[in-house]
Amino acid sequence: MKSLYRSRKNRKISGVLGGFAQYFGIDATLLRVIFAVIFIFTGFFPLLFVYLACVYLMPEDDGVIDHD
């Protein structure tokens, strides 16, 4: 069973988008570009709130088990 974790090896800020990219099996750069476009067009607040919630709610990858 796959679990959602903040990525330690594929992070730019906190690893949230890297973790989502690993979980869904897509490229992290593509996910970051999509996130940035949606972030700009929604007026910043809604997506910023979701991102910050993920930072505090998603556990960080412990690095012991390969979650790929």
Side-chain angles (χ1 to χ4, degrees), residues 22-41:
Q22 285 176 323
Y23 184 78
F24 290 112
I26 59 175
D27 183 43
T29 303
L30 176 64
L31 190 61
R32 288 181 185 111
V33 168
I34 292 169
F35 181 86
V37 169
I38 293 172
F39 185 73
I40 291 169
F41 285 117

